[in-house]
Amino acid sequence: MGVLKKRFAAWSLLFVVCWVNLVSYVPWRRDAHLGAGGDAVEYFQMSQRTFAPVDNPFALRVLSPWLVHTGHRLTGLSPDTVWIALTFTATLASVIVLHELLRRRFAVSGFVAVVVASMLACTFWYAPYLFGNPWLVDPLNNLFIVLGLWLAFSGRLGWFTAVVVIGSVNKETMLLLAPLYPLLALTRSRRVTREVLLGTAAVAFAACAYFAFRTWAIARIGADYNLGTGQANHSLVDNIRFAISTAQGRDHLAIWSVLSFTWLIWLVGLHHLRRTGAGHPLIPTSAWTLLTCLLGRLMATDTERVFTMMVPIVLIVVAVTLDTLQSPWHRPWIVLLAALYTAIQLRWTSATLPMEALALLIFTALFTPWHRLRHSTPPGAISPPIPTQDREPQHDHA
């Protein structure tokens, strides 16, 4: 009962954070979709007619529009209202799943898990931006990604494959997550095992299932949609040229803005985890997710929305790193780091550079000298993914 009460309290707090951001950013006006632009126009049209012949790469991302269309028919609510409900539900679920992943799989303390999950809820391109532009498939895609990470870490191949297959109907980039499972299995065993082979077979199955869906969906639409084409149905080569164009030089800063100073905490955390053993699951997962984002950038126009795929894994590493600070004296500083992150992400001030510098100064002070950086559990206690039941942490600092 004590664990349930703490879980309820944590979930309630995360609900409040998400709700405040929802109220602050959602366009609460009649026929709000009339002010939508870019991708949102295509997705809203698909929610009125699921297989509407819109531009690539939107035409086959049908799951979110279909859910909105179905919700509108069943409830009689306006499509705008259903889109907002889906966006909020999927985002809140993503935040809660991350909290539970930190608690159950990585044995992070309740205090740090709530703080980092709140940071996820306040990451601009992950939540507030989507609340302000709720006609996108991104919220559901974000939920599938964090669910996929949990299932990959837990060694649940069947459920992981199901999430990848269903998620690819919402956004085809979910297929790029499929090789993560055999990669983690290979990293752990250092040789080709039955689990590696099954994971590889699951990748092939997911790819075949998606291409079967494409064939059926294109037949329904009555048009030809080529893989790798962009918003104007241009070729993959044109998308690559656009992505690496010198006119996009500001994209380096755009990538930084997605997670601000936590990028550096992530790198420090990976360095520390590498000292506990190269087979730690967060190391190959971080590398593969980063590679996936770089590949996705070749076929997308919004750098920030592509790199939101990195947000959960970066914040998981941040949580594991901050959890090494176990004394009550550290808690106010962790809260201050989270507050600075929230202020930067929610654009509360234009003076972001001083705040970034202050946050990095605090983090450096907390983790100096390096011999103080150690887990409350022995090295390697955060195990690589194994097909066993998720474990509940033995300690609770909430």
Side-chain angles (χ1 to χ4, degrees), residues 351-381:
T352 58
L353 186 58
M355 299 181 73
E356 302 255 15
L358 176 59
L360 292 175
L361 181 63
I362 293 172
F363 176 75
T364 302
L366 290 175
F367 286 90
T368 303
W370 284 101
H371 70 268
R372 295 177 60 188
L373 182 61
R374 61 180 181 273
H375 289 278
S376 60
T377 53

Side-chain angles (χ1 to χ4, degrees), residues 50-355:
T50 303
F51 290 99
V54 299
D55 287 340
N56 259 336
F58 315 111
L60 303 180
R61 300 173 179 176
V62 299
L63 183 56
S64 288
W66 176 79
L67 288 173
V68 172
H69 179 75
T70 304
H72 166 63
R73 290 180 56 189
L74 293 177
T75 65
L77 297 173
S78 68
D80 281 332
T81 300
V82 182
W83 271 111
I84 292 171
L86 176 63
T87 298
F88 177 75
T89 302
T91 301
L92 176 62
S94 299
V95 172
I96 291 177
V97 169
L98 180 77
H99 174 270
E100 292 302 300
L101 173 59
L102 292 173
R103 295 289 284 131
R104 293 176 180 273
R105 188 61 198 167
F106 292 102
V108 170
S109 68
F111 168 74
V112 172
V114 168
V115 169
V116 173
S118 299
M119 291 169 64
L120 177 68
C122 293
T123 300
F124 179 77
W125 291 101
Y126 199 91
Y129 170 78
L130 299 179
F131 291 154
N133 195 19
W135 310 279
L136 298 173
V137 301
D138 300 38
L140 198 57
N141 191 59
N142 291 338
L143 176 58
F144 282 128
I145 289 171
V146 71
L147 279 173
L149 291 175
W150 188 343
L151 295 168
F153 290 142
S154 302
R156 298 179 178 179
L157 179 57
W159 285 107
F160 173 81
T161 305
V163 166
V164 170
V165 170
I166 297 173
S168 67
V169 178
N170 187 67
K171 198 170 186 179
E172 67 281 355
T173 51
M174 272 300 296
L175 288 174
L176 297 175
L177 194 66
L180 178 61
Y181 191 97
L183 176 63
L184 288 176
L186 184 61
T187 302
R188 185 181 73 249
S189 61
R190 307 291 181 87
R191 59 188 179 86
V192 178
T193 62
R194 180 175 178 272
E195 189 178 10
V196 175
L197 294 176
L198 288 175
T200 305
V203 174
F205 172 80
C208 291
Y210 177 72
F211 278 100
F213 160 75
R214 281 184 64 89
T215 302
W216 173 78
I218 290 174
R220 288 285 306 274
I221 297 173
D224 183 21
Y225 290 88
N226 296 319
L227 280 173
T229 52
Q231 293 189 36
N233 287 316
H234 291 164
S235 68
L236 177 59
V237 173
D238 289 332
N239 286 327
I240 294 175
R241 288 174 179 170
F242 174 83
I244 63 177
S245 170
T246 55
Q248 302 298 313
R250 68 179 186 85
D251 285 351
H252 299 90
L253 293 178
I255 293 172
W256 175 265
S257 70
V258 174
L259 282 154
S260 59
F261 63 85
T262 56
W263 283 115
L264 297 182
I265 300 179
W266 169 64
L267 292 176
V268 172
L270 290 179
H271 173 72
H272 172 64
L273 292 174
R274 185 174 178 274
R275 294 166 57 191
T276 68
H280 196 287
L282 290 177
I283 297 175
T285 302
S286 294
W288 179 256
T289 309
L290 179 60
L291 177 61
T292 297
C293 290
L294 294 174
L295 291 174
R297 178 66 187 98
L298 298 180
M299 294 174 283
T301 56
D302 296 331
T303 300
E304 296 91 343
R305 285 172 58 198
V306 171
F307 277 84
T308 54
M309 191 173 184
M310 286 292 299
V311 173
I313 190 62
V314 169
L315 291 183
I316 289 172
V317 176
V318 169
V320 171
T321 304
L322 293 179
D323 197 51
T324 63
L325 306 173
Q326 294 294 334
S327 74
W329 180 85
H330 290 122
R331 290 191 174 189
W333 297 105
I334 294 175
V335 171
L336 180 56
L337 282 175
L340 290 171
Y341 178 84
T342 301
I344 294 169
Q345 289 291 319
L346 299 185
R347 277 67 166 170
W348 287 348
T349 176
S350 58
T352 58
L353 186 58
M355 299 181 73

